[in-house]
């Protein structure tokens, strides 16, 4: 496990943490705090740009890079929150199942528009500070919805998972 602590002075250490040899087996964790929601997207964009630049500078063949992007796209495409194995068509053909329909409906142009070819998890910490934001900064439900929607949109672009923690 390598930590860059969000300090741009540590960017040069990325070459030790993420190399062409270990990129296949590495998961990137990008963290931001809900304590300062106005800085979440700038931080996520800044570090994803740094990650993208680093990945493109790795000594890898373009075919290997494309294979990583294709694998991520395939995993994303095959993901489903549920599979109802009892949802068969009258002919017992799975092609009419909800699962197959779910896969067919995934044509969002935003999804994986910045496919970096590696697994990324975005973690938004300190979500318990949302109560303070409501009282101190007059944040309301619409503002929190907009913040969360913007974060989800960012994650869709990268094909990243999203977690919220307190």
């Amino acid at each position: 496990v390598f930590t860059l602590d969000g300090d741009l002075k540590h960017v040069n250490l990325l070459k030790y943490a993420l190399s062409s040899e270990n990129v296949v087996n590495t998961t990137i964790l990008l963290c931001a705090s809900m304590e300062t929601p106005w800085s979440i997207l700038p931080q996520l964009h800044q570090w994803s740009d740094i990650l993208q630049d680093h990945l493109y500078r790795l000594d890898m063949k373009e075919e290997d890079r494309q294979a990583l992007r294709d694998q991520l796209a395939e995993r994303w495409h095959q993901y489903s929150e549920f599979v109802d194995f009892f949802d068969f068509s009258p002919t017992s053909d799975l092609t009419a199942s909800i699962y197959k329909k779910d896969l067919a409906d995934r044509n969002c142009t935003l999804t994986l528009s910045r496919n970096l070819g590696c697994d990324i998890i975005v973690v938004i910490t300190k979500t318990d500070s949302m109560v303070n934001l409501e009282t101190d900064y007059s944040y309301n439900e619409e503002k929190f919805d907009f913040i969360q929607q913007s974060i989800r949109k960012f994650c869709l672009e990268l094909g990243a998972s999203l977690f919220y923690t307190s």
Side-chain angles (χ1 to χ4, degrees), residues 48-70:
S48 65
D49 291 344
I50 289 169
L51 177 62
Q52 182 175 358
D53 292 344
H54 177 75
L55 288 169
Y56 285 126
R57 279 185 269 140
L58 289 179
D59 185 26
M60 293 179 70
K61 295 178 183 174
E62 186 54 38
E63 304 87 51
D64 295 338
R65 240 183 266 281
Q66 188 58 46
L68 290 173
R69 289 191 290 265
D70 291 344

Side-chain angles (χ1 to χ4, degrees), residues 44-97:
L44 292 176
H45 281 289
Q46 178 181 36
W47 282 100
S48 65
D49 291 344
I50 289 169
L51 177 62
Q52 182 175 358
D53 292 344
H54 177 75
L55 288 169
Y56 285 126
R57 279 185 269 140
L58 289 179
D59 185 26
M60 293 179 70
K61 295 178 183 174
E62 186 54 38
E63 304 87 51
D64 295 338
R65 240 183 266 281
Q66 188 58 46
L68 290 173
R69 289 191 290 265
D70 291 344
Q71 289 170 2
L72 180 62
E74 182 61 24
R75 282 194 313 271
W76 181 263
H77 182 74
Q78 291 297 327
Y79 174 78
S80 181
E81 288 189 23
F82 68 92
V83 177
D84 187 357
F85 290 104
F86 299 104
D87 179 34
F88 295 102
S89 69
T91 61
S92 297
D93 185 6
L94 274 177
T95 57
S97 72

Side-chain angles (χ1 to χ4, degrees), residues 1-2 17-28 55 60 68 71 75 117-120:
V1 174
F2 292 93
L18 189 60
S19 66
S20 57
E21 291 82 32
N22 69 6
V23 70
V24 175
N25 300 314
T26 301
T27 298
I28 307 298
L55 288 169
M60 293 179 70
L68 290 173
Q71 289 170 2
R75 282 194 313 271
C118 61
D119 294 320
I120 299 172

Side-chain angles (χ1 to χ4, degrees), residues 11-44:
V11 170
N12 62 333
L13 298 176
L14 195 53
K15 62 185 173 191
Y16 301 110
L18 189 60
S19 66
S20 57
E21 291 82 32
N22 69 6
V23 70
V24 175
N25 300 314
T26 301
T27 298
I28 307 298
L29 188 67
L30 299 175
C31 295
S33 172
M34 186 60 86
E35 200 168 43
T36 55
W38 49 86
S39 65
I40 291 175
L41 282 178
Q43 289 174 358
L44 292 176

